[in-house]
Amino acid sequence: MSINVAIDGPAGAGKSTIAKSAAGELGFIYVDTGALYRSVAYYCIGRGADTKDREAIAALLPEITPELRFIEGAQHVFVNGEDVSDKIRTPEISMGASNVSAIPAVREFLFDLQKKIAAENNVIMDGRDIGTVVLPNAQLKIFLTASAEERASRRFKELSEKGEKVTFEEVLEDVNKRDYNDMHRDIAPLRQAEDAVLLDTTSLDLEQSKEKVIAMIKELL
Ligand code: DC
């Protein structure tokens, strides 16, 4: 049986960085499910659709074939054969992904793909509803969080390094807005599963956070 580790938490808590390096060290596959929601947003925005328009988005889903490929251990997201991994990392797509992720048809559309990867591989899967909905039987569930200010400051640094022209205030507003969206939607809202371990990384650096996650997984093995 494959080993499934679910890591959920709000945007910017460090889930992807931590999960990716822990997975690399343990020989697990790291699955970033947010990239799937981002790829749907990317396609729909490219077609000129409003990501809040439930009917318009649902109507576009049959045109989308999202795919995750693992190239030298790194996840790449493909949409209809095009590698969109880098293009989906903009603030516009972040907000679009948050919008489309509130649409039940979108969640349903991406559900099987996530289940299948977890059934076939030892995975560390990160998202918002992995422990609560996608992998309720995961052997380990971690809810990773940090204060909104700390998460915004990490994301601000990341975007600035990439040359994106944003202010800290804009990033903080974005983080707060996405938190609100993700926690208040009707379907699969972001929340800590009852059996998840809470890990607050506000005063931990990446290395310390990663060590804690690896220690928890090693206990399982
Ligand atoms: O993790 P991320 O920032 O790349 O996710 C982008 C958006 O997708 C986020 O605002 C919420 C949504 N999402 C979700 O609803 N469920 C998941 N399992 C992963 C992401």
Side-chain angles (χ1 to χ4, degrees):
M1 201 178 66
S2 56
I3 298 171
N4 291 172
V5 176
I7 301 191
D8 292 299
K15 296 188 299 292
S16 61
T17 315
I18 293 164
K20 199 187 293 175
S21 69
E25 224 162 282
L26 295 164
F28 281 42
I29 282 186
Y30 161 62
V31 185
D32 164 16
T33 62
L36 293 171
Y37 292 91
R38 287 170 180 272
S39 71
V40 169
Y42 171 81
Y43 182 85
C44 295
I45 290 171
R47 292 292 311 270
D50 172 359
T51 51
K52 283 190 174 163
D53 183 338
R54 296 187 167 213
E55 275 157 32
I57 301 302
L60 286 173
L61 295 177
E63 296 176 16
I64 311 175
T65 305
E67 214 187 322
L68 294 181
R69 292 189 207 159
F70 298 90
I71 304 170
E72 289 171 6
Q75 172 186 292
H76 289 250
V77 205
F78 285 75
V79 173
N80 301 344
E82 178 195 358
D83 188 344
V84 299
S85 313
D86 293 332
K87 295 178 188 157
I88 57 174
R89 301 287 157 198
T90 67
E92 185 195 14
I93 302 289
S94 297
M95 201 48 75
S98 183
N99 289 339
V100 299
S101 73
I103 303 174
V106 172
R107 306 204 71 85
E108 211 172 291
F109 178 69
L110 296 173
F111 185 77
D112 290 345
L113 179 58
Q114 300 172 71
K115 284 293 264 194
K116 185 163 182 282
I117 296 171
E120 293 171 353
N121 302 282
N122 289 339
V123 297
I124 301 183
M125 188 173 277
D126 98 36
R128 302 292 188 286
D129 63 337
I130 308 306
T132 51
V133 178
V134 180
L135 304 176
N137 298 321
Q139 291 93 334
L140 173 66
K141 300 178 186 178
I142 300 171
F143 194 81
L144 198 77
T145 190
S147 71
E149 286 71 19
E150 175 64 23
R151 289 184 283 122
S153 116
R154 292 176 190 168
R155 185 120 313 171
F156 173 65
K157 199 164 155 246
E158 213 176 276
L159 290 169
S160 306
E161 278 166 8
K162 273 202 246 164
E164 297 259 354
K165 301 239 172 314
V166 285
T167 65
F168 173 75
E169 286 67 31
E170 282 164 352
V171 178
L172 180 60
E173 199 189 315
D174 218 62
V175 161
N176 282 324
K177 210 149 99 191
R178 278 220 285 155
D179 281 1
Y180 187 87
N181 269 355
D182 295 348
M183 291 192 277
H184 290 84
R185 64 182 179 219
D186 299 337
I187 182 163
L190 168 66
R191 66 174 178 83
Q192 184 179 344
E194 270 168 29
D195 51 352
V197 181
L198 177 69
L199 181 57
D200 187 326
T201 69
T202 306
S203 54
L204 298 179
D205 64 23
L206 278 175
E207 196 55 32
Q208 294 168 319
S209 311
K210 185 184 87 180
E211 287 313 320
K212 283 193 188 277
V213 168
I214 289 179
M216 283 189 248
I217 298 173
K218 279 195 172 153
E219 239 174 81
L220 270 186
L221 300 175

